PDB file of all heavy atoms in Angstrom:
ATOM      1  N   ALA A  65      71.303  61.824  33.307  1.00  0.00           N
ATOM      2  CA  ALA A  65      70.345  62.921  33.183  1.00  0.00           C
ATOM      3  C   ALA A  65      69.032  62.449  32.562  1.00  0.00           C
ATOM      4  O   ALA A  65      68.001  63.138  32.655  1.00  0.00           O
ATOM      5  CB  ALA A  65      70.967  64.028  32.318  1.00  0.00           C
ATOM      6  N   ASP A  66      69.009  61.294  31.885  1.00  0.00           N
ATOM      7  CA  ASP A  66      67.788  60.782  31.241  1.00  0.00           C
ATOM      8  C   ASP A  66      66.911  60.009  32.205  1.00  0.00           C
ATOM      9  O   ASP A  66      65.951  59.367  31.797  1.00  0.00           O
ATOM     10  CB  ASP A  66      68.166  59.891  30.051  1.00  0.00           C
ATOM     11  CG  ASP A  66      69.104  58.756  30.474  1.00  0.00           C
ATOM     12  OD1 ASP A  66      69.471  58.690  31.661  1.00  0.00           O
ATOM     13  OD2 ASP A  66      69.429  57.894  29.603  1.00  0.00           O
ATOM     14  N   GLY A  67      67.275  60.047  33.485  1.00  0.00           N
ATOM     15  CA  GLY A  67      66.453  59.375  34.486  1.00  0.00           C
ATOM     16  C   GLY A  67      66.832  57.940  34.709  1.00  0.00           C
ATOM     17  O   GLY A  67      66.161  57.253  35.472  1.00  0.00           O
ATOM     18  N   ARG A  68      67.890  57.482  34.107  1.00  0.00           N
ATOM     19  CA  ARG A  68      68.303  56.103  34.289  1.00  0.00           C
ATOM     20  C   ARG A  68      69.314  56.030  35.435  1.00  0.00           C
ATOM     21  O   ARG A  68      70.216  56.840  35.524  1.00  0.00           O
ATOM     22  CB  ARG A  68      68.924  55.542  33.013  1.00  0.00           C
ATOM     23  CG  ARG A  68      67.933  55.384  31.891  1.00  0.00           C
ATOM     24  CD  ARG A  68      68.632  54.840  30.644  1.00  0.00           C
ATOM     25  NE  ARG A  68      67.697  54.652  29.554  1.00  0.00           N
ATOM     26  CZ  ARG A  68      66.982  53.569  29.355  1.00  0.00           C
ATOM     27  NH1 ARG A  68      67.114  52.555  30.188  1.00  0.00           N
ATOM     28  NH2 ARG A  68      66.150  53.490  28.344  1.00  0.00           N
ATOM     29  N   VAL A  69      69.159  55.027  36.246  1.00  0.00           N
ATOM     30  CA  VAL A  69      70.078  54.782  37.359  1.00  0.00           C
ATOM     31  C   VAL A  69      70.619  53.368  37.171  1.00  0.00           C
ATOM     32  O   VAL A  69      69.850  52.402  37.149  1.00  0.00           O
ATOM     33  CB  VAL A  69      69.363  54.930  38.726  1.00  0.00           C
ATOM     34  CG1 VAL A  69      70.339  54.584  39.856  1.00  0.00           C
ATOM     35  CG2 VAL A  69      68.832  56.325  38.902  1.00  0.00           C
ATOM     36  N   GLY A  70      71.959  53.303  37.010  1.00  0.00           N
ATOM     37  CA  GLY A  70      72.583  52.017  36.822  1.00  0.00           C
ATOM     38  C   GLY A  70      73.245  51.548  38.094  1.00  0.00           C
ATOM     39  O   GLY A  70      73.930  52.322  38.756  1.00  0.00           O
ATOM     40  N   ILE A  71      73.105  50.312  38.453  1.00  0.00           N
ATOM     41  CA  ILE A  71      73.654  49.707  39.660  1.00  0.00           C
ATOM     42  C   ILE A  71      74.586  48.600  39.201  1.00  0.00           C
ATOM     43  O   ILE A  71      74.186  47.709  38.424  1.00  0.00           O
ATOM     44  CB  ILE A  71      72.558  49.149  40.579  1.00  0.00           C
ATOM     45  CG1 ILE A  71      71.464  50.194  40.851  1.00  0.00           C
ATOM     46  CG2 ILE A  71      73.150  48.642  41.880  1.00  0.00           C
ATOM     47  CD1 ILE A  71      71.965  51.423  41.549  1.00  0.00           C
ATOM     48  N   ALA A  72      75.834  48.646  39.724  1.00  0.00           N
ATOM     49  CA  ALA A  72      76.795  47.589  39.391  1.00  0.00           C
ATOM     50  C   ALA A  72      77.431  47.131  40.692  1.00  0.00           C
ATOM     51  O   ALA A  72      78.040  47.932  41.406  1.00  0.00           O
ATOM     52  CB  ALA A  72      77.845  48.092  38.420  1.00  0.00           C
ATOM     53  N   LEU A  73      77.293  45.855  41.037  1.00  0.00           N
ATOM     54  CA  LEU A  73      77.852  45.271  42.262  1.00  0.00           C
ATOM     55  C   LEU A  73      78.887  44.251  41.836  1.00  0.00           C
ATOM     56  O   LEU A  73      78.601  43.324  41.070  1.00  0.00           O
ATOM     57  CB  LEU A  73      76.736  44.611  43.080  1.00  0.00           C
ATOM     58  CG  LEU A  73      77.175  43.929  44.386  1.00  0.00           C
ATOM     59  CD1 LEU A  73      77.733  44.987  45.354  1.00  0.00           C
ATOM     60  CD2 LEU A  73      76.000  43.199  45.034  1.00  0.00           C
ATOM     61  N   GLY A  74      80.097  44.478  42.300  1.00  0.00           N
ATOM     62  CA  GLY A  74      81.179  43.562  41.941  1.00  0.00           C
ATOM     63  C   GLY A  74      81.191  42.359  42.855  1.00  0.00           C
ATOM     64  O   GLY A  74      80.206  42.030  43.514  1.00  0.00           O
ATOM     65  N   GLY A  75      82.362  41.727  42.945  1.00  0.00           N
ATOM     66  CA  GLY A  75      82.514  40.561  43.796  1.00  0.00           C
ATOM     67  C   GLY A  75      82.439  39.290  42.974  1.00  0.00           C
ATOM     68  O   GLY A  75      82.427  39.303  41.733  1.00  0.00           O
ATOM     69  N   PRO A  76      82.422  38.156  43.678  1.00  0.00           N
ATOM     70  CA  PRO A  76      82.401  36.862  42.971  1.00  0.00           C
ATOM     71  C   PRO A  76      81.154  36.705  42.086  1.00  0.00           C
ATOM     72  O   PRO A  76      81.197  35.997  41.098  1.00  0.00           O
ATOM     73  CB  PRO A  76      82.412  35.840  44.108  1.00  0.00           C
ATOM     74  CG  PRO A  76      82.930  36.569  45.302  1.00  0.00           C
ATOM     75  CD  PRO A  76      82.548  37.987  45.164  1.00  0.00           C
ATOM     76  N   GLU A  77      80.062  37.327  42.502  1.00  0.00           N
ATOM     77  CA  GLU A  77      78.819  37.198  41.716  1.00  0.00           C
ATOM     78  C   GLU A  77      78.411  38.589  41.237  1.00  0.00           C
ATOM     79  O   GLU A  77      77.597  39.275  41.879  1.00  0.00           O
ATOM     80  CB  GLU A  77      77.705  36.583  42.551  1.00  0.00           C
ATOM     81  CG  GLU A  77      77.973  35.142  42.965  1.00  0.00           C
ATOM     82  CD  GLU A  77      76.803  34.574  43.755  1.00  0.00           C
ATOM     83  OE1 GLU A  77      75.708  35.189  43.734  1.00  0.00           O
ATOM     84  OE2 GLU A  77      76.942  33.500  44.361  1.00  0.00           O
ATOM     85  N   PRO A  78      78.984  39.116  40.167  1.00  0.00           N
ATOM     86  CA  PRO A  78      78.676  40.470  39.698  1.00  0.00           C
ATOM     87  C   PRO A  78      77.177  40.576  39.359  1.00  0.00           C
ATOM     88  O   PRO A  78      76.556  39.619  38.900  1.00  0.00           O
ATOM     89  CB  PRO A  78      79.538  40.607  38.446  1.00  0.00           C
ATOM     90  CG  PRO A  78      80.602  39.552  38.571  1.00  0.00           C
ATOM     91  CD  PRO A  78      80.001  38.432  39.303  1.00  0.00           C
ATOM     92  N   TRP A  79      76.656  41.801  39.608  1.00  0.00           N
ATOM     93  CA  TRP A  79      75.207  42.014  39.364  1.00  0.00           C
ATOM     94  C   TRP A  79      75.023  43.402  38.838  1.00  0.00           C
ATOM     95  O   TRP A  79      75.538  44.372  39.401  1.00  0.00           O
ATOM     96  CB  TRP A  79      74.420  41.808  40.665  1.00  0.00           C
ATOM     97  CG  TRP A  79      72.940  42.060  40.508  1.00  0.00           C
ATOM     98  CD1 TRP A  79      72.098  41.389  39.781  1.00  0.00           C
ATOM     99  CD2 TRP A  79      72.215  43.103  41.151  1.00  0.00           C
ATOM    100  NE1 TRP A  79      70.828  41.879  39.875  1.00  0.00           N
ATOM    101  CE2 TRP A  79      70.882  42.967  40.744  1.00  0.00           C
ATOM    102  CE3 TRP A  79      72.529  44.144  42.046  1.00  0.00           C
ATOM    103  CZ2 TRP A  79      69.851  43.815  41.170  1.00  0.00           C
ATOM    104  CZ3 TRP A  79      71.513  44.974  42.476  1.00  0.00           C
ATOM    105  CH2 TRP A  79      70.174  44.814  42.027  1.00  0.00           C
ATOM    106  N   ARG A  80      74.286  43.533  37.774  1.00  0.00           N
ATOM    107  CA  ARG A  80      74.011  44.839  37.187  1.00  0.00           C
ATOM    108  C   ARG A  80      72.491  44.989  37.028  1.00  0.00           C
ATOM    109  O   ARG A  80      71.807  44.043  36.663  1.00  0.00           O
ATOM    110  CB  ARG A  80      74.671  45.004  35.814  1.00  0.00           C
ATOM    111  CG  ARG A  80      76.194  45.050  35.896  1.00  0.00           C
ATOM    112  CD  ARG A  80      76.788  45.204  34.503  1.00  0.00           C
ATOM    113  NE  ARG A  80      78.235  45.303  34.580  1.00  0.00           N
ATOM    114  CZ  ARG A  80      78.913  46.422  34.804  1.00  0.00           C
ATOM    115  NH1 ARG A  80      78.248  47.562  34.952  1.00  0.00           N
ATOM    116  NH2 ARG A  80      80.226  46.418  34.871  1.00  0.00           N
ATOM    117  N   HIS A  81      72.044  46.219  37.265  1.00  0.00           N
ATOM    118  CA  HIS A  81      70.612  46.498  37.153  1.00  0.00           C
ATOM    119  C   HIS A  81      70.432  47.959  36.790  1.00  0.00           C
ATOM    120  O   HIS A  81      71.199  48.812  37.272  1.00  0.00           O
ATOM    121  CB  HIS A  81      69.904  46.188  38.482  1.00  0.00           C
ATOM    122  CG  HIS A  81      68.413  46.234  38.352  1.00  0.00           C
ATOM    123  ND1 HIS A  81      67.666  45.259  37.756  1.00  0.00           N
ATOM    124  CD2 HIS A  81      67.539  47.197  38.751  1.00  0.00           C
ATOM    125  CE1 HIS A  81      66.386  45.596  37.789  1.00  0.00           C
ATOM    126  NE2 HIS A  81      66.288  46.774  38.389  1.00  0.00           N
ATOM    127  N   THR A  82      69.445  48.236  35.982  1.00  0.00           N
ATOM    128  CA  THR A  82      69.163  49.605  35.557  1.00  0.00           C
ATOM    129  C   THR A  82      67.715  49.934  35.884  1.00  0.00           C
ATOM    130  O   THR A  82      66.813  49.153  35.566  1.00  0.00           O
ATOM    131  CB  THR A  82      69.402  49.792  34.060  1.00  0.00           C
ATOM    132  OG1 THR A  82      70.764  49.470  33.751  1.00  0.00           O
ATOM    133  CG2 THR A  82      69.109  51.204  33.637  1.00  0.00           C
ATOM    134  N   LEU A  83      67.524  51.093  36.507  1.00  0.00           N
ATOM    135  CA  LEU A  83      66.195  51.572  36.834  1.00  0.00           C
ATOM    136  C   LEU A  83      65.892  52.815  36.025  1.00  0.00           C
ATOM    137  O   LEU A  83      66.764  53.671  35.847  1.00  0.00           O
ATOM    138  CB  LEU A  83      66.086  51.923  38.329  1.00  0.00           C
ATOM    139  CG  LEU A  83      65.958  50.738  39.306  1.00  0.00           C
ATOM    140  CD1 LEU A  83      66.047  51.260  40.744  1.00  0.00           C
ATOM    141  CD2 LEU A  83      64.661  50.017  39.119  1.00  0.00           C
ATOM    142  N   VAL A  84      64.661  52.898  35.542  1.00  0.00           N
ATOM    143  CA  VAL A  84      64.216  54.091  34.813  1.00  0.00           C
ATOM    144  C   VAL A  84      63.314  54.873  35.756  1.00  0.00           C
ATOM    145  O   VAL A  84      62.258  54.385  36.169  1.00  0.00           O
ATOM    146  CB  VAL A  84      63.465  53.719  33.516  1.00  0.00           C
ATOM    147  CG1 VAL A  84      63.005  54.980  32.821  1.00  0.00           C
ATOM    148  CG2 VAL A  84      64.371  52.899  32.599  1.00  0.00           C
ATOM    149  N   CYS A  85      63.785  56.087  36.113  1.00  0.00           N
ATOM    150  CA  CYS A  85      63.054  56.894  37.084  1.00  0.00           C
ATOM    151  C   CYS A  85      62.129  57.867  36.368  1.00  0.00           C
ATOM    152  O   CYS A  85      62.440  58.331  35.262  1.00  0.00           O
ATOM    153  CB  CYS A  85      64.033  57.696  37.947  1.00  0.00           C
ATOM    154  SG  CYS A  85      65.205  56.622  38.830  1.00  0.00           S
ATOM    155  N   PRO A  86      61.002  58.225  37.006  1.00  0.00           N
ATOM    156  CA  PRO A  86      60.108  59.208  36.393  1.00  0.00           C
ATOM    157  C   PRO A  86      60.758  60.578  36.208  1.00  0.00           C
ATOM    158  O   PRO A  86      60.435  61.287  35.270  1.00  0.00           O
ATOM    159  CB  PRO A  86      58.935  59.261  37.372  1.00  0.00           C
ATOM    160  CG  PRO A  86      58.966  57.952  38.098  1.00  0.00           C
ATOM    161  CD  PRO A  86      60.418  57.610  38.227  1.00  0.00           C
ATOM    162  N   GLY A  87      61.661  60.922  37.113  1.00  0.00           N
ATOM    163  CA  GLY A  87      62.338  62.209  37.032  1.00  0.00           C
ATOM    164  C   GLY A  87      63.857  62.030  37.129  1.00  0.00           C
ATOM    165  O   GLY A  87      64.335  60.943  37.478  1.00  0.00           O
ATOM    166  N   PRO A  88      64.616  63.054  36.878  1.00  0.00           N
ATOM    167  CA  PRO A  88      66.087  62.921  36.948  1.00  0.00           C
ATOM    168  C   PRO A  88      66.511  62.698  38.391  1.00  0.00           C
ATOM    169  O   PRO A  88      66.041  63.383  39.306  1.00  0.00           O
ATOM    170  CB  PRO A  88      66.595  64.234  36.379  1.00  0.00           C
ATOM    171  CG  PRO A  88      65.463  65.194  36.559  1.00  0.00           C
ATOM    172  CD  PRO A  88      64.212  64.416  36.488  1.00  0.00           C
ATOM    173  N   PRO A  89      67.339  61.726  38.642  1.00  0.00           N
ATOM    174  CA  PRO A  89      67.804  61.471  40.013  1.00  0.00           C
ATOM    175  C   PRO A  89      68.715  62.619  40.477  1.00  0.00           C
ATOM    176  O   PRO A  89      69.559  63.088  39.724  1.00  0.00           O
ATOM    177  CB  PRO A  89      68.539  60.142  39.890  1.00  0.00           C
ATOM    178  CG  PRO A  89      68.942  60.038  38.452  1.00  0.00           C
ATOM    179  CD  PRO A  89      67.917  60.783  37.674  1.00  0.00           C
TER     180      PRO A  89
END
Side-chain angles (χ1 to χ4, degrees):
D66 56 358
R68 292 179 179 273
V69 177
I71 309 298
L73 179 64
E77 295 182 15
W79 178 65
R80 293 180 178 275
H81 190 75
T82 301
L83 283 173
V84 179
C85 302

